[in-house]
Amino acid sequence: MDKFMKEAIKEAKKGRDEGGLPIGAVLVKNGKIIGRGHNKRVQEDDPVLHAEIDCFRNAGRLGSFKGTVLYSTLQPCYMCSGAAVQFGVKKVVVGESENYTGTEDFLESRGIQVVDLDLEECKRMMGDFVDSNPELWKEDTGDI
């Protein structure tokens, strides 16, 4: 498995272990992780603190995000995809898109390459969470 996706999975497990959603992300530039994050909506009582947003925040002000690759354990939602578009990310690598189909068409229509690794570990981790916490998952996806 890709070393950067392994790091995103570590972030997802942090979120899960903190009582939140098991979604993690890392931002890579020139072969180095420059930001990492996990979904903290529950922990921080913040409706927009998705893993990708936390990752961008932790990367800080780069001046330019061009040339970066965003890794996420789950296909990003429209809010997080919009941030990737806004910052000029050119590639998004996702662990899975079975539990949430996300915005692959939206990203690709904006010139962002999407690579879905279709990883069993990511599918199982997210699927177990969705099965155990359907209301929290619906809140996260806006399906309430």
Side-chain angles (χ1 to χ4, degrees):
M1 182 191 312
D2 182 288
K3 68 181 181 180
F4 300 123
M5 185 53 70
K6 284 182 182 179
E7 293 299 313
I9 290 170
K10 285 181 187 177
E11 288 294 323
K13 289 177 179 178
K14 282 183 191 177
R16 177 196 64 200
D17 294 347
E18 292 171 358
L21 285 81
I23 306 168
V26 296
L27 188 66
V28 176
K29 186 169 187 173
N30 298 324
K32 296 177 86 172
I33 295 175
I34 59 169
R36 58 178 60 237
H38 54 276
N39 188 301
K40 294 180 182 172
R41 286 184 345 91
V42 173
Q43 302 92 310
E44 301 285 332
D45 195 31
D46 183 338
V48 298
L49 201 44
H50 287 197
E52 299 86 351
I53 301 302
D54 189 41
C55 180
F56 283 126
R57 281 181 167 173
N58 290 328
R61 292 180 59 222
L62 301 179
S64 172
F65 285 81
K66 297 201 183 334
T68 60
V69 179
L70 178 64
Y71 287 77
S72 180
T73 57
L74 185 67
Q75 183 75 247
C77 69
Y78 279 101
M79 176 180 67
C80 296
S81 293
V85 169
Q86 180 71 28
F87 294 135
V89 172
K90 291 299 177 197
K91 185 175 182 180
V92 175
V93 180
V94 298
E96 67 109 342
S97 61
E98 187 174 291
N99 286 291
Y100 183 71
T101 55
T103 59
E104 184 173 354
D105 291 343
F106 170 75
L107 288 167
E108 289 177 343
S109 75
R110 300 310 191 275
I112 297 175
Q113 178 187 5
V114 178
V115 177
D116 187 344
L117 300 177
D118 194 34
L119 298 173
E120 286 302 318
E121 182 175 7
C122 292
K123 289 191 280 190
R124 186 174 42 258
M125 183 169 41
M126 197 68 230
D128 289 348
F129 177 84
V130 171
D131 290 344
S132 300
N133 301 279
E135 292 305 312
L136 187 55
W137 176 238
K138 287 178 186 176
E139 179 186 320
D140 193 69
T141 60
D143 291 331
I144 291 183

